[in-house]
Amino acid sequence: QVQLAESGGGLVQPGGSLNLSCVASGSSFSIDTMGWYRQVPGKQQDMIAVAYKSGVTNYGDSVKGRFTISRDNHKNTVFLQMRSLKPEDTALYYCKVDGRGPWGARQIYWGQGTQVTVSS
């Protein structure tokens, strides 16, 4: 079993910055992909950023050039640096971890979500 602990959400003014982090803890789990998603009530969940084990990263179109994803593989932690925040970035942000269990079976875990609110 893997637990994800997210932190860093909050209230920020437009144009401001926030940093999110997500720590994965658990045994016998090999992490492949770590990423961030967000969801606004009543709307589809959006992929914000994904960091692959290879080092490749991928971003959603709405955040390219403003958000940066990074990961510390030794600490099983993924970060999301958010800059130039806009009111439309307001959402519940979820951490997702994709990897392999002790017998090689693919396993996916989601964090509980951290709220980001961009408002003046």
Side-chain angles (χ1 to χ4, degrees):
Q1 189 70 18
V2 174
Q3 291 79 41
L4 301 181
E6 299 149 331
S7 61
L11 173 65
V12 64
Q13 292 186 343
S17 301
L18 275 177
N19 296 322
L20 306 183
S21 63
C22 173
V23 181
S25 59
S27 61
S28 301
F29 183 72
S30 176
I31 297 175
D32 292 329
T33 305
M34 305 184 83
W36 292 94
Y37 295 72
R38 69 186 182 192
Q39 187 160 23
V40 176
K43 294 189 177 182
Q44 183 178 343
Q45 185 183 68
D46 291 329
M47 186 278 289
I48 299 304
V50 174
Y52 298 91
K53 193 174 184 179
S54 63
V56 173
T57 58
N58 191 25
Y59 294 91
D61 289 340
S62 63
V63 304
K64 284 181 181 177
R66 299 189 298 123
F67 291 11
T68 302
I69 189 171
S70 60
R71 54 188 282 181
D72 184 334
N73 293 327
H74 295 292
K75 297 182 178 179
N76 290 338
T77 303
V78 62
F79 305 96
L80 185 67
Q81 295 179 310
M82 304 185 292
R83 302 290 181 263
S84 302
L85 283 161
K86 306 174 182 179
E88 51 263 43
D89 293 318
T90 296
L92 190 62
Y93 283 68
Y94 294 91
C95 170
K96 176 187 175 184
V97 171
D98 187 332
R100 301 284 172 176
W103 295 281
R106 185 185 181 192
Q107 296 177 351
I108 297 173
Y109 295 94
W110 291 88
Q112 79 285 357
T114 183
Q115 180 67 37
V116 171
T117 302
V118 184
S119 175
S120 56

